[in-house]
Amino acid sequence: MSEQKTQPAELKIPGVDEPIELPIYSGNLGPDVIDVGKLTSQGHFTYDPGFVSTAACESGITYIDGDEGTLLHRGYPIEQLADKSDYLELCYLLLNGELPNAAAKTEFVDTIKNHTMVNEQLRSFFKGFSHDAHPMAIMCGVVGALSAFYHDSTDIDNPQHRMITAHRLIAKMPTLAAMSYKHAQGQPFIYPRNDMGYAENFLHMMFATPCEEYAVSPTLAKAMDRIFLLHADHEQNASTSTVRLAGSTGANPFASVAAGIAALWGPSHGGANEAVLTMLEEIGSVDNIPEYVRRAKDKDDPFRIMGFGHRVYKNYDPRAKVMQQTCHEVLEELGVQDDPVLAMARELERIALEDEYFVEKRLYPNVDFYSGIILKAIGIPVEMFTVIFATGRTPGWIAHWCEMIGSSYKIGRPRQLYTGSAKRDFVEVADR
Ligand code: SDX
């Protein structure tokens, strides 16, 4: 819960006699916030493009300390969750605020299993996409289309309706993700199986065919579950903020999550995992790394090292550390010795972390730097990497939506610094 501090902030504005008193609130962890809401009545807006210093909401779901490289989900460190928990247990934690006991966990897993199928009519949506449509374009479309099946029956002010919406999204995203892959392959869709675990079921829907039994490797299923877990939530990132902003108008939650998928697709956000592999392929060999590091530092060169840097983390992204460790485990268990792409990634990381430009700007590998190498080892094609991110991030998106709709919230409506034309009269075309 937030608490107002006794001493307000004082803002002194030239031409305004008295300093403006602004309330300060403290949370349980992290910086205090200064409530600037009343500035408009004083004839001023704050100005913070990209929301670098702006807290847009109060939340109790995830806490990040960028300087320490800390990530907590409902207070539990990501390292402990990755080591001891699993993806569906984390989904329950994000939605409910506490880890489930054995009975609650069994009930939650069974509930999710019973929502994995999608309406058969959704299959026809895929026919409208060309075979080479990017799977993220398909996901934007088909997740948004879920709102057509669950609109009149969803009362967002009913907590039970909000929870079943969360269950439906968590359950159906792997099914739709696998369908977007099968569409590109020209292969028949594979139905979800209730006798399989969440990640195992996803890999089965991705790679099985009706022609023969397909056994999913337990190693790959475990790695896939770990990847979903590491992507589950990340505070008020661009895509989660998009879901909150869309949802703040009272929009359908499936449509709001589709907006989040669109935001995630960008290469500065979730699209970075695909961009890392494309970048490593472009670099081509360890010998070329110094030239690319030089280009990354050149302001006149648009090249950036994808998978490096973060708005919040000015230390190593804790998820990247777990991802790197998982990378080694998976490649070792698969008997992949000296993966050249991994070797190049590790050399790029070593060189960059020693370079004063990256040290001075506090640029470290983020969650996307190693995830693509594991996904490639699992057999996931590069164009599906961001779809995997979207699938993993779904519980975070919908937990934040539930938290917002379940509390007192306002429609999001930022203001602007206007630099356009002053008022002027219309000029007839003959006089222009
Ligand atoms: C995700 O917000 C989240 O939590 C996101 C995420 C999540 O889980 O939801 O963690 C997932 O999106 C991770 C980030 C994935 N994106 C990338 O890896 C793309 C490469 N990274 C950059 O584009 C950048 O670091 C951002 C977009 C991630 C962060 O950008 P910021 O915070 O706006 O910082 P910036 O771009 O202003 O960079 C600060 C400085 C700049 O130099 P100056 O203008 O100060 O001289 O650092 C430089 C940048 O040029 N810089 C880089 C760099 N990233 C930043 N220089 C070279 N290579 C890079 N990768």
Side-chain angles (χ1 to χ4, degrees), residues 234 237-238 267-270 272 296 299 304-311 314 319 357-358 361 363 366-368 389 393:
H234 212 237
N237 58 85
S268 290
H269 191 12
K299 284 288 161 238
R304 290 287 175 271
I305 296 181
M306 303 314 280
F308 253 77
H310 198 278
R311 169 62 56 78
K314 301 310 174 188
R319 300 166 298 174
Y357 172 92
F358 290 85
K361 292 185 185 298
L363 302 173
N366 58 49
V367 67
D368 293 308
F389 194 146
R393 182 52 53 88

PDB file of all heavy atoms in Angstrom, residues 234 237-238 267-270 272 296 299 304-311 314 319 357-358 361 363 366-368 389 393, ligand 1:
ATOM      1  N   HIS A 234       7.167  -8.088 -16.288  1.00  0.00           N
ATOM      2  CA  HIS A 234       8.321  -7.196 -16.086  1.00  0.00           C
ATOM      3  C   HIS A 234       7.872  -5.776 -15.785  1.00  0.00           C
ATOM      4  O   HIS A 234       8.335  -4.820 -16.402  1.00  0.00           O
ATOM      5  CB  HIS A 234       9.259  -7.222 -17.291  1.00  0.00           C
ATOM      6  CG  HIS A 234      10.684  -7.010 -16.878  1.00  0.00           C
ATOM      7  ND1 HIS A 234      11.474  -6.004 -17.369  1.00  0.00           N
ATOM      8  CD2 HIS A 234      11.452  -7.677 -15.993  1.00  0.00           C
ATOM      9  CE1 HIS A 234      12.662  -6.057 -16.807  1.00  0.00           C
ATOM     10  NE2 HIS A 234      12.679  -7.062 -15.972  1.00  0.00           N
ATOM     11  N   ASN A 237       6.605  -2.287 -18.500  1.00  0.00           N
ATOM     12  CA  ASN A 237       7.278  -2.199 -19.798  1.00  0.00           C
ATOM     13  C   ASN A 237       6.310  -1.729 -20.869  1.00  0.00           C
ATOM     14  O   ASN A 237       5.117  -1.595 -20.615  1.00  0.00           O
ATOM     15  CB  ASN A 237       7.843  -3.578 -20.145  1.00  0.00           C
ATOM     16  CG  ASN A 237       6.748  -4.621 -20.178  1.00  0.00           C
ATOM     17  OD1 ASN A 237       6.094  -4.786 -21.188  1.00  0.00           O
ATOM     18  ND2 ASN A 237       6.499  -5.265 -19.058  1.00  0.00           N
ATOM     19  N   ALA A 238       6.825  -1.457 -22.069  1.00  0.00           N
ATOM     20  CA  ALA A 238       6.005  -0.829 -23.112  1.00  0.00           C
ATOM     21  C   ALA A 238       4.742  -1.617 -23.428  1.00  0.00           C
ATOM     22  O   ALA A 238       3.650  -1.050 -23.550  1.00  0.00           O
ATOM     23  CB  ALA A 238       6.857  -0.651 -24.371  1.00  0.00           C
ATOM     24  N   PRO A 267      11.404  -4.080 -32.515  1.00  0.00           N
ATOM     25  CA  PRO A 267      12.761  -4.577 -32.219  1.00  0.00           C
ATOM     26  C   PRO A 267      13.384  -3.943 -30.979  1.00  0.00           C
ATOM     27  O   PRO A 267      14.329  -4.471 -30.399  1.00  0.00           O
ATOM     28  CB  PRO A 267      13.566  -4.208 -33.471  1.00  0.00           C
ATOM     29  CG  PRO A 267      12.772  -3.160 -34.154  1.00  0.00           C
ATOM     30  CD  PRO A 267      11.330  -3.406 -33.802  1.00  0.00           C
ATOM     31  N   SER A 268      12.838  -2.818 -30.509  1.00  0.00           N
ATOM     32  CA  SER A 268      13.381  -2.231 -29.273  1.00  0.00           C
ATOM     33  C   SER A 268      12.824  -2.948 -28.041  1.00  0.00           C
ATOM     34  O   SER A 268      13.317  -2.734 -26.933  1.00  0.00           O
ATOM     35  CB  SER A 268      13.010  -0.747 -29.187  1.00  0.00           C
ATOM     36  OG  SER A 268      13.733  -0.028 -30.158  1.00  0.00           O
ATOM     37  N   HIS A 269      11.821  -3.766 -28.234  1.00  0.00           N
ATOM     38  CA  HIS A 269      11.150  -4.452 -27.122  1.00  0.00           C
ATOM     39  C   HIS A 269      11.223  -5.957 -27.364  1.00  0.00           C
ATOM     40  O   HIS A 269      12.331  -6.477 -27.494  1.00  0.00           O
ATOM     41  CB  HIS A 269       9.710  -3.914 -27.029  1.00  0.00           C
ATOM     42  CG  HIS A 269       8.933  -4.300 -25.811  1.00  0.00           C
ATOM     43  ND1 HIS A 269       9.474  -4.884 -24.704  1.00  0.00           N
ATOM     44  CD2 HIS A 269       7.606  -4.158 -25.533  1.00  0.00           C
ATOM     45  CE1 HIS A 269       8.526  -5.084 -23.792  1.00  0.00           C
ATOM     46  NE2 HIS A 269       7.369  -4.673 -24.278  1.00  0.00           N
ATOM     47  N   GLY A 270      10.127  -6.634 -27.478  1.00  0.00           N
ATOM     48  CA  GLY A 270      10.166  -8.091 -27.584  1.00  0.00           C
ATOM     49  C   GLY A 270      10.735  -8.586 -28.892  1.00  0.00           C
ATOM     50  O   GLY A 270      11.181  -9.730 -28.986  1.00  0.00           O
ATOM     51  N   ALA A 272      13.433  -7.895 -30.029  1.00  0.00           N
ATOM     52  CA  ALA A 272      14.899  -7.912 -29.946  1.00  0.00           C
ATOM     53  C   ALA A 272      15.445  -9.330 -29.987  1.00  0.00           C
ATOM     54  O   ALA A 272      16.547  -9.561 -30.501  1.00  0.00           O
ATOM     55  CB  ALA A 272      15.366  -7.213 -28.674  1.00  0.00           C
ATOM     56  N   ALA A 296      28.364   0.178 -33.242  1.00  0.00           N
ATOM     57  CA  ALA A 296      27.324   0.369 -32.200  1.00  0.00           C
ATOM     58  C   ALA A 296      27.574   1.653 -31.415  1.00  0.00           C
ATOM     59  O   ALA A 296      26.644   2.258 -30.887  1.00  0.00           O
ATOM     60  CB  ALA A 296      27.314  -0.830 -31.262  1.00  0.00           C
ATOM     61  N   LYS A 299      27.451   7.329 -33.293  1.00  0.00           N
ATOM     62  CA  LYS A 299      26.138   7.999 -33.272  1.00  0.00           C
ATOM     63  C   LYS A 299      25.544   8.111 -34.678  1.00  0.00           C
ATOM     64  O   LYS A 299      24.331   8.166 -34.843  1.00  0.00           O
ATOM     65  CB  LYS A 299      26.275   9.402 -32.664  1.00  0.00           C
ATOM     66  CG  LYS A 299      26.423   9.392 -31.157  1.00  0.00           C
ATOM     67  CD  LYS A 299      25.108   9.014 -30.496  1.00  0.00           C
ATOM     68  CE  LYS A 299      25.350   8.558 -29.076  1.00  0.00           C
ATOM     69  NZ  LYS A 299      24.862   7.198 -28.833  1.00  0.00           N
ATOM     70  N   ARG A 304      22.802  -0.976 -33.555  1.00  0.00           N
ATOM     71  CA  ARG A 304      22.893  -1.143 -32.110  1.00  0.00           C
ATOM     72  C   ARG A 304      23.090  -2.632 -31.822  1.00  0.00           C
ATOM     73  O   ARG A 304      22.614  -3.473 -32.595  1.00  0.00           O
ATOM     74  CB  ARG A 304      21.595  -0.683 -31.442  1.00  0.00           C
ATOM     75  CG  ARG A 304      21.368   0.830 -31.489  1.00  0.00           C
ATOM     76  CD  ARG A 304      22.303   1.529 -30.521  1.00  0.00           C
ATOM     77  NE  ARG A 304      22.201   2.978 -30.615  1.00  0.00           N
ATOM     78  CZ  ARG A 304      22.926   3.715 -31.454  1.00  0.00           C
ATOM     79  NH1 ARG A 304      23.753   3.117 -32.295  1.00  0.00           N
ATOM     80  NH2 ARG A 304      22.811   5.029 -31.467  1.00  0.00           N
ATOM     81  N   ILE A 305      23.753  -2.942 -30.712  1.00  0.00           N
ATOM     82  CA  ILE A 305      23.896  -4.357 -30.360  1.00  0.00           C
ATOM     83  C   ILE A 305      22.569  -4.804 -29.755  1.00  0.00           C
ATOM     84  O   ILE A 305      22.212  -4.399 -28.641  1.00  0.00           O
ATOM     85  CB  ILE A 305      25.050  -4.573 -29.371  1.00  0.00           C
ATOM     86  CG1 ILE A 305      26.384  -4.188 -30.028  1.00  0.00           C
ATOM     87  CG2 ILE A 305      25.088  -6.031 -28.908  1.00  0.00           C
ATOM     88  CD1 ILE A 305      27.587  -4.383 -29.154  1.00  0.00           C
ATOM     89  N   MET A 306      21.828  -5.601 -30.495  1.00  0.00           N
ATOM     90  CA  MET A 306      20.524  -6.046 -30.015  1.00  0.00           C
ATOM     91  C   MET A 306      20.703  -7.010 -28.849  1.00  0.00           C
ATOM     92  O   MET A 306      21.659  -7.769 -28.798  1.00  0.00           O
ATOM     93  CB  MET A 306      19.753  -6.721 -31.149  1.00  0.00           C
ATOM     94  CG  MET A 306      19.571  -5.834 -32.364  1.00  0.00           C
ATOM     95  SD  MET A 306      19.048  -4.179 -31.935  1.00  0.00           S
ATOM     96  CE  MET A 306      17.317  -4.428 -31.676  1.00  0.00           C
ATOM     97  N   GLY A 307      19.793  -6.929 -27.890  1.00  0.00           N
ATOM     98  CA  GLY A 307      19.932  -7.751 -26.691  1.00  0.00           C
ATOM     99  C   GLY A 307      20.790  -7.096 -25.634  1.00  0.00           C
ATOM    100  O   GLY A 307      21.029  -7.665 -24.575  1.00  0.00           O
ATOM    101  N   PHE A 308      21.277  -5.863 -25.943  1.00  0.00           N
ATOM    102  CA  PHE A 308      22.066  -5.103 -24.958  1.00  0.00           C
ATOM    103  C   PHE A 308      21.326  -3.827 -24.580  1.00  0.00           C
ATOM    104  O   PHE A 308      20.662  -3.206 -25.412  1.00  0.00           O
ATOM    105  CB  PHE A 308      23.405  -4.722 -25.586  1.00  0.00           C
ATOM    106  CG  PHE A 308      24.566  -5.510 -25.045  1.00  0.00           C
ATOM    107  CD1 PHE A 308      24.783  -6.815 -25.458  1.00  0.00           C
ATOM    108  CD2 PHE A 308      25.423  -4.947 -24.113  1.00  0.00           C
ATOM    109  CE1 PHE A 308      25.838  -7.552 -24.964  1.00  0.00           C
ATOM    110  CE2 PHE A 308      26.504  -5.679 -23.608  1.00  0.00           C
ATOM    111  CZ  PHE A 308      26.706  -6.989 -24.038  1.00  0.00           C
ATOM    112  N   GLY A 309      21.462  -3.423 -23.354  1.00  0.00           N
ATOM    113  CA  GLY A 309      20.873  -2.168 -22.888  1.00  0.00           C
ATOM    114  C   GLY A 309      19.468  -2.375 -22.361  1.00  0.00           C
ATOM    115  O   GLY A 309      18.791  -3.344 -22.723  1.00  0.00           O
ATOM    116  N   HIS A 310      19.047  -1.464 -21.500  1.00  0.00           N
ATOM    117  CA  HIS A 310      17.707  -1.591 -20.919  1.00  0.00           C
ATOM    118  C   HIS A 310      17.335  -0.269 -20.284  1.00  0.00           C
ATOM    119  O   HIS A 310      18.186   0.427 -19.714  1.00  0.00           O
ATOM    120  CB  HIS A 310      17.684  -2.704 -19.858  1.00  0.00           C
ATOM    121  CG  HIS A 310      16.310  -3.189 -19.540  1.00  0.00           C
ATOM    122  ND1 HIS A 310      15.484  -2.529 -18.666  1.00  0.00           N
ATOM    123  CD2 HIS A 310      15.607  -4.236 -19.990  1.00  0.00           C
ATOM    124  CE1 HIS A 310      14.329  -3.171 -18.593  1.00  0.00           C
ATOM    125  NE2 HIS A 310      14.372  -4.208 -19.397  1.00  0.00           N
ATOM    126  N   ARG A 311      16.046   0.087 -20.354  1.00  0.00           N
ATOM    127  CA  ARG A 311      15.592   1.323 -19.751  1.00  0.00           C
ATOM    128  C   ARG A 311      15.785   1.314 -18.237  1.00  0.00           C
ATOM    129  O   ARG A 311      16.134   2.325 -17.640  1.00  0.00           O
ATOM    130  CB  ARG A 311      14.099   1.531 -20.070  1.00  0.00           C
ATOM    131  CG  ARG A 311      13.415   2.642 -19.303  1.00  0.00           C
ATOM    132  CD  ARG A 311      14.012   4.015 -19.581  1.00  0.00           C
ATOM    133  NE  ARG A 311      14.014   4.370 -20.994  1.00  0.00           N
ATOM    134  CZ  ARG A 311      12.934   4.802 -21.634  1.00  0.00           C
ATOM    135  NH1 ARG A 311      11.767   4.869 -21.026  1.00  0.00           N
ATOM    136  NH2 ARG A 311      13.019   5.157 -22.897  1.00  0.00           N
ATOM    137  N   LYS A 314      20.500  -1.080 -15.170  1.00  0.00           N
ATOM    138  CA  LYS A 314      21.834  -0.483 -15.415  1.00  0.00           C
ATOM    139  C   LYS A 314      22.857  -1.413 -14.771  1.00  0.00           C
ATOM    140  O   LYS A 314      23.916  -1.005 -14.347  1.00  0.00           O
ATOM    141  CB  LYS A 314      21.876   0.931 -14.826  1.00  0.00           C
ATOM    142  CG  LYS A 314      20.808   1.862 -15.430  1.00  0.00           C
ATOM    143  CD  LYS A 314      20.811   1.834 -16.962  1.00  0.00           C
ATOM    144  CE  LYS A 314      19.667   2.630 -17.571  1.00  0.00           C
ATOM    145  NZ  LYS A 314      19.557   2.439 -19.039  1.00  0.00           N
ATOM    146  N   ARG A 319      17.493 -11.958 -15.568  1.00  0.00           N
ATOM    147  CA  ARG A 319      16.930 -13.009 -16.427  1.00  0.00           C
ATOM    148  C   ARG A 319      17.966 -13.481 -17.442  1.00  0.00           C
ATOM    149  O   ARG A 319      18.004 -14.645 -17.826  1.00  0.00           O
ATOM    150  CB  ARG A 319      15.690 -12.468 -17.152  1.00  0.00           C
ATOM    151  CG  ARG A 319      14.576 -12.008 -16.240  1.00  0.00           C
ATOM    152  CD  ARG A 319      13.562 -11.202 -17.003  1.00  0.00           C
ATOM    153  NE  ARG A 319      14.164  -9.986 -17.559  1.00  0.00           N
ATOM    154  CZ  ARG A 319      13.492  -9.164 -18.368  1.00  0.00           C
ATOM    155  NH1 ARG A 319      12.235  -9.426 -18.722  1.00  0.00           N
ATOM    156  NH2 ARG A 319      14.079  -8.088 -18.834  1.00  0.00           N
ATOM    157  N   TYR A 357      32.688   2.461 -23.532  1.00  0.00           N
ATOM    158  CA  TYR A 357      31.398   3.040 -23.955  1.00  0.00           C
ATOM    159  C   TYR A 357      30.258   2.313 -23.241  1.00  0.00           C
ATOM    160  O   TYR A 357      29.367   2.938 -22.658  1.00  0.00           O
ATOM    161  CB  TYR A 357      31.249   2.897 -25.460  1.00  0.00           C
ATOM    162  CG  TYR A 357      29.894   3.284 -26.027  1.00  0.00           C
ATOM    163  CD1 TYR A 357      29.661   4.576 -26.482  1.00  0.00           C
ATOM    164  CD2 TYR A 357      28.858   2.363 -26.082  1.00  0.00           C
ATOM    165  CE1 TYR A 357      28.419   4.927 -27.012  1.00  0.00           C
ATOM    166  CE2 TYR A 357      27.618   2.710 -26.595  1.00  0.00           C
ATOM    167  CZ  TYR A 357      27.403   3.985 -27.060  1.00  0.00           C
ATOM    168  OH  TYR A 357      26.163   4.334 -27.567  1.00  0.00           O
ATOM    169  N   PHE A 358      30.309   0.976 -23.246  1.00  0.00           N
ATOM    170  CA  PHE A 358      29.238   0.189 -22.637  1.00  0.00           C
ATOM    171  C   PHE A 358      29.295   0.276 -21.120  1.00  0.00           C
ATOM    172  O   PHE A 358      28.269   0.299 -20.452  1.00  0.00           O
ATOM    173  CB  PHE A 358      29.328  -1.263 -23.128  1.00  0.00           C
ATOM    174  CG  PHE A 358      28.956  -1.409 -24.568  1.00  0.00           C
ATOM    175  CD1 PHE A 358      29.895  -1.202 -25.563  1.00  0.00           C
ATOM    176  CD2 PHE A 358      27.651  -1.709 -24.933  1.00  0.00           C
ATOM    177  CE1 PHE A 358      29.542  -1.300 -26.898  1.00  0.00           C
ATOM    178  CE2 PHE A 358      27.289  -1.821 -26.269  1.00  0.00           C
ATOM    179  CZ  PHE A 358      28.243  -1.603 -27.257  1.00  0.00           C
ATOM    180  N   LYS A 361      27.963   3.798 -20.165  1.00  0.00           N
ATOM    181  CA  LYS A 361      26.506   3.918 -20.336  1.00  0.00           C
ATOM    182  C   LYS A 361      25.753   2.804 -19.599  1.00  0.00           C
ATOM    183  O   LYS A 361      24.533   2.703 -19.690  1.00  0.00           O
ATOM    184  CB  LYS A 361      26.158   3.916 -21.824  1.00  0.00           C
ATOM    185  CG  LYS A 361      26.661   5.175 -22.524  1.00  0.00           C
ATOM    186  CD  LYS A 361      26.217   5.213 -23.960  1.00  0.00           C
ATOM    187  CE  LYS A 361      26.839   6.419 -24.636  1.00  0.00           C
ATOM    188  NZ  LYS A 361      26.397   7.702 -24.022  1.00  0.00           N
ATOM    189  N   LEU A 363      25.553  -0.455 -20.079  1.00  0.00           N
ATOM    190  CA  LEU A 363      24.806  -1.320 -20.997  1.00  0.00           C
ATOM    191  C   LEU A 363      25.222  -2.767 -20.776  1.00  0.00           C
ATOM    192  O   LEU A 363      26.387  -3.110 -20.884  1.00  0.00           O
ATOM    193  CB  LEU A 363      25.085  -0.912 -22.448  1.00  0.00           C
ATOM    194  CG  LEU A 363      24.745   0.537 -22.804  1.00  0.00           C
ATOM    195  CD1 LEU A 363      25.233   0.861 -24.202  1.00  0.00           C
ATOM    196  CD2 LEU A 363      23.243   0.784 -22.689  1.00  0.00           C
ATOM    197  N   ASN A 366      20.495  -8.067 -21.940  1.00  0.00           N
ATOM    198  CA  ASN A 366      19.167  -8.167 -21.350  1.00  0.00           C
ATOM    199  C   ASN A 366      18.564  -9.529 -21.664  1.00  0.00           C
ATOM    200  O   ASN A 366      19.236 -10.389 -22.245  1.00  0.00           O
ATOM    201  CB  ASN A 366      18.281  -7.022 -21.852  1.00  0.00           C
ATOM    202  CG  ASN A 366      18.148  -7.018 -23.373  1.00  0.00           C
ATOM    203  OD1 ASN A 366      17.856  -8.047 -23.958  1.00  0.00           O
ATOM    204  ND2 ASN A 366      18.417  -5.882 -23.996  1.00  0.00           N
ATOM    205  N   VAL A 367      17.326  -9.709 -21.310  1.00  0.00           N
ATOM    206  CA  VAL A 367      16.666 -11.021 -21.410  1.00  0.00           C
ATOM    207  C   VAL A 367      16.739 -11.583 -22.824  1.00  0.00           C
ATOM    208  O   VAL A 367      16.779 -12.796 -23.014  1.00  0.00           O
ATOM    209  CB  VAL A 367      15.185 -10.917 -20.960  1.00  0.00           C
ATOM    210  CG1 VAL A 367      14.370 -10.064 -21.929  1.00  0.00           C
ATOM    211  CG2 VAL A 367      14.581 -12.296 -20.793  1.00  0.00           C
ATOM    212  N   ASP A 368      16.820 -10.685 -23.822  1.00  0.00           N
ATOM    213  CA  ASP A 368      16.752 -11.151 -25.210  1.00  0.00           C
ATOM    214  C   ASP A 368      18.080 -11.642 -25.753  1.00  0.00           C
ATOM    215  O   ASP A 368      18.125 -12.238 -26.826  1.00  0.00           O
ATOM    216  CB  ASP A 368      16.238 -10.006 -26.101  1.00  0.00           C
ATOM    217  CG  ASP A 368      14.792  -9.680 -25.767  1.00  0.00           C
ATOM    218  OD1 ASP A 368      13.977 -10.617 -25.754  1.00  0.00           O
ATOM    219  OD2 ASP A 368      14.499  -8.501 -25.472  1.00  0.00           O
ATOM    220  N   PHE A 389       7.913 -15.010 -26.778  1.00  0.00           N
ATOM    221  CA  PHE A 389       7.938 -13.945 -25.762  1.00  0.00           C
ATOM    222  C   PHE A 389       6.495 -13.534 -25.415  1.00  0.00           C
ATOM    223  O   PHE A 389       6.128 -13.446 -24.241  1.00  0.00           O
ATOM    224  CB  PHE A 389       8.726 -12.746 -26.298  1.00  0.00           C
ATOM    225  CG  PHE A 389       9.117 -11.701 -25.272  1.00  0.00           C
ATOM    226  CD1 PHE A 389      10.311 -11.004 -25.401  1.00  0.00           C
ATOM    227  CD2 PHE A 389       8.316 -11.392 -24.189  1.00  0.00           C
ATOM    228  CE1 PHE A 389      10.681 -10.033 -24.487  1.00  0.00           C
ATOM    229  CE2 PHE A 389       8.680 -10.426 -23.263  1.00  0.00           C
ATOM    230  CZ  PHE A 389       9.862  -9.747 -23.410  1.00  0.00           C
ATOM    231  N   ARG A 393       4.674 -13.781 -21.822  1.00  0.00           N
ATOM    232  CA  ARG A 393       4.300 -12.523 -21.154  1.00  0.00           C
ATOM    233  C   ARG A 393       2.812 -12.391 -20.866  1.00  0.00           C
ATOM    234  O   ARG A 393       2.403 -11.527 -20.090  1.00  0.00           O
ATOM    235  CB  ARG A 393       4.758 -11.334 -22.042  1.00  0.00           C
ATOM    236  CG  ARG A 393       4.512  -9.948 -21.502  1.00  0.00           C
ATOM    237  CD  ARG A 393       5.011  -9.662 -20.089  1.00  0.00           C
ATOM    238  NE  ARG A 393       6.395  -9.960 -19.857  1.00  0.00           N
ATOM    239  CZ  ARG A 393       7.416  -9.128 -20.064  1.00  0.00           C
ATOM    240  NH1 ARG A 393       7.177  -7.943 -20.566  1.00  0.00           N
ATOM    241  NH2 ARG A 393       8.651  -9.472 -19.784  1.00  0.00           N
TER     242      ARG A 393
HETATM  243  C1  SDX B   1      12.934  -5.744 -23.545  1.00  0.00           C
HETATM  244  O1  SDX B   1      11.054  -2.439 -20.424  1.00  0.00           O
HETATM  245  C2  SDX B   1      11.232  -3.684 -20.248  1.00  0.00           C
HETATM  246  O2  SDX B   1      11.190  -4.200 -19.146  1.00  0.00           O
HETATM  247  C3  SDX B   1      11.461  -4.488 -21.514  1.00  0.00           C
HETATM  248  C4  SDX B   1      11.779  -5.953 -21.333  1.00  0.00           C
HETATM  249  C5  SDX B   1      10.590  -6.711 -20.783  1.00  0.00           C
HETATM  250  O3  SDX B   1      10.818  -7.802 -20.202  1.00  0.00           O
HETATM  251  O4  SDX B   1       9.445  -6.282 -20.994  1.00  0.00           O
HETATM  252  O5  SDX B   1      12.870  -6.112 -20.455  1.00  0.00           O
HETATM  253  C6  SDX B   1      12.112  -6.613 -22.669  1.00  0.00           C
HETATM  254  O6  SDX B   1      12.377  -5.022 -24.337  1.00  0.00           O
HETATM  255  C7  SDX B   1      14.426  -5.747 -23.384  1.00  0.00           C
HETATM  256  C8  SDX B   1      15.138  -4.732 -24.340  1.00  0.00           C
HETATM  257  C9  SDX B   1      15.240  -5.372 -25.719  1.00  0.00           C
HETATM  258  N1  SDX B   1      15.758  -4.383 -26.702  1.00  0.00           N
HETATM  259  C10 SDX B   1      16.999  -4.460 -27.164  1.00  0.00           C
HETATM  260  O7  SDX B   1      17.845  -5.278 -26.788  1.00  0.00           O
HETATM  261  C11 SDX B   1      17.298  -3.442 -28.276  1.00  0.00           C
HETATM  262  C12 SDX B   1      18.672  -2.814 -28.020  1.00  0.00           C
HETATM  263  N2  SDX B   1      18.567  -1.948 -26.859  1.00  0.00           N
HETATM  264  C13 SDX B   1      18.318  -0.527 -27.052  1.00  0.00           C
HETATM  265  O8  SDX B   1      17.532  -0.235 -28.168  1.00  0.00           O
HETATM  266  C14 SDX B   1      17.969   0.200 -25.754  1.00  0.00           C
HETATM  267  O9  SDX B   1      18.874  -0.207 -24.832  1.00  0.00           O
HETATM  268  C15 SDX B   1      16.579   0.083 -25.187  1.00  0.00           C
HETATM  269  C16 SDX B   1      15.538   0.422 -26.184  1.00  0.00           C
HETATM  270  C17 SDX B   1      16.350  -1.288 -24.668  1.00  0.00           C
HETATM  271  C18 SDX B   1      16.495   1.056 -23.997  1.00  0.00           C
HETATM  272  O10 SDX B   1      16.534   2.324 -24.535  1.00  0.00           O
HETATM  273  P1  SDX B   1      16.495   3.625 -23.572  1.00  0.00           P
HETATM  274  O11 SDX B   1      16.281   3.288 -22.167  1.00  0.00           O
HETATM  275  O12 SDX B   1      15.569   4.607 -24.194  1.00  0.00           O
HETATM  276  O13 SDX B   1      17.972   4.116 -23.608  1.00  0.00           O
HETATM  277  P2  SDX B   1      18.621   4.827 -24.831  1.00  0.00           P
HETATM  278  O14 SDX B   1      18.178   4.162 -26.114  1.00  0.00           O
HETATM  279  O15 SDX B   1      18.405   6.273 -24.697  1.00  0.00           O
HETATM  280  O16 SDX B   1      20.138   4.443 -24.611  1.00  0.00           O
HETATM  281  C19 SDX B   1      20.903   5.186 -23.676  1.00  0.00           C
HETATM  282  C20 SDX B   1      22.255   5.359 -24.375  1.00  0.00           C
HETATM  283  C21 SDX B   1      22.124   5.989 -25.768  1.00  0.00           C
HETATM  284  O17 SDX B   1      23.332   6.697 -26.005  1.00  0.00           O
HETATM  285  P3  SDX B   1      23.302   8.349 -25.756  1.00  0.00           P
HETATM  286  O18 SDX B   1      22.176   8.874 -26.639  1.00  0.00           O
HETATM  287  O19 SDX B   1      23.027   8.521 -24.286  1.00  0.00           O
HETATM  288  O20 SDX B   1      24.666   8.808 -26.187  1.00  0.00           O
HETATM  289  O21 SDX B   1      22.847   4.061 -24.586  1.00  0.00           O
HETATM  290  C22 SDX B   1      22.996   3.829 -25.996  1.00  0.00           C
HETATM  291  C23 SDX B   1      22.091   4.823 -26.720  1.00  0.00           C
HETATM  292  O22 SDX B   1      22.628   5.125 -28.009  1.00  0.00           O
HETATM  293  N3  SDX B   1      22.544   2.443 -26.241  1.00  0.00           N
HETATM  294  C24 SDX B   1      23.185   1.565 -27.017  1.00  0.00           C
HETATM  295  C25 SDX B   1      22.419   0.382 -26.922  1.00  0.00           C
HETATM  296  N4  SDX B   1      21.367   0.596 -26.120  1.00  0.00           N
HETATM  297  C26 SDX B   1      21.445   1.867 -25.711  1.00  0.00           C
HETATM  298  N5  SDX B   1      24.305   1.657 -27.791  1.00  0.00           N
HETATM  299  C27 SDX B   1      24.655   0.526 -28.452  1.00  0.00           C
HETATM  300  N6  SDX B   1      23.967  -0.659 -28.423  1.00  0.00           N
HETATM  301  C28 SDX B   1      22.843  -0.745 -27.667  1.00  0.00           C
HETATM  302  N7  SDX B   1      22.169  -1.911 -27.617  1.00  0.00           N
END
